[in-house]
Amino acid sequence: MKLRIHDNTIRLRLNRSEVEQLKDTGLVEDAVHFGAGSALSYSLESSAGSSEPRALFCDGSLRVIVPEQMARRWASSEEVGMEAHDAQPAILIEKDFQCAHREEHDPEAFPNPLVT
């Protein structure tokens, strides 16, 4: 899962196996490790008790929580993203596509619709 923070927006990009994991378990998590045992952990969670996407930050952990039905619908469809512009911070969750401008091939990324 890729994490991007820009201004007051959090963006997560998930590859195919991570989208399946979210659909199956309701949780995808990762971390950035720094020296001296510190880390920034981040997760995407689906929750039956959530009515709208939200982000929480506590003790070095960023949790992005989305309604369970919204996550399941997104993961089971051709929809590219889920978003919450009114949230603080704003949230954008996307399926990660193959890069169109590089020779690299990421077998876990979704096929890029712009590349034939």
Side-chain angles (χ1 to χ4, degrees):
M1 179 167 52
K2 296 176 183 175
L3 169 65
R4 179 177 179 199
I5 300 171
H6 183 260
D7 291 334
N8 202 34
T9 301
I10 294 170
R11 184 165 104 185
L12 297 173
R13 284 192 172 168
L14 284 74
N15 65 31
R16 290 186 287 186
S17 62
E18 292 163 338
V19 170
E20 284 300 312
Q21 182 179 341
L22 179 67
K23 187 170 72 172
D24 294 344
T25 69
L27 176 66
V28 180
E29 52 192 343
D30 210 339
V32 177
H33 298 275
F34 301 92
S38 62
L40 167 64
S41 62
Y42 55 101
S43 64
L44 175 59
E45 307 170 28
S46 66
S47 170
S50 180
S51 60
E52 59 189 34
R54 67 183 191 275
L56 307 170
F57 183 75
C58 184
D59 296 327
S61 179
L62 170 63
R63 296 173 58 211
V64 177
I65 302 167
V66 296
E68 183 178 38
Q69 286 200 349
M70 177 186 242
R72 285 187 179 277
R73 182 178 61 246
W74 173 73
S76 300
S77 73
E78 296 296 317
E79 287 180 60
V80 173
M82 298 184 281
E83 53 193 324
H85 292 290
D86 295 334
Q88 288 297 317
I91 299 167
L92 178 58
I93 302 160
E94 300 173 310
K95 293 175 180 167
D96 192 27
F97 291 117
Q98 292 282 343
C99 289
H101 59 278
R102 286 194 228 157
E103 294 296 320
E104 297 174 23
H105 178 72
D106 179 359
E108 284 296 313
F110 287 87
N112 189 322
L114 300 177
V115 175
T116 56

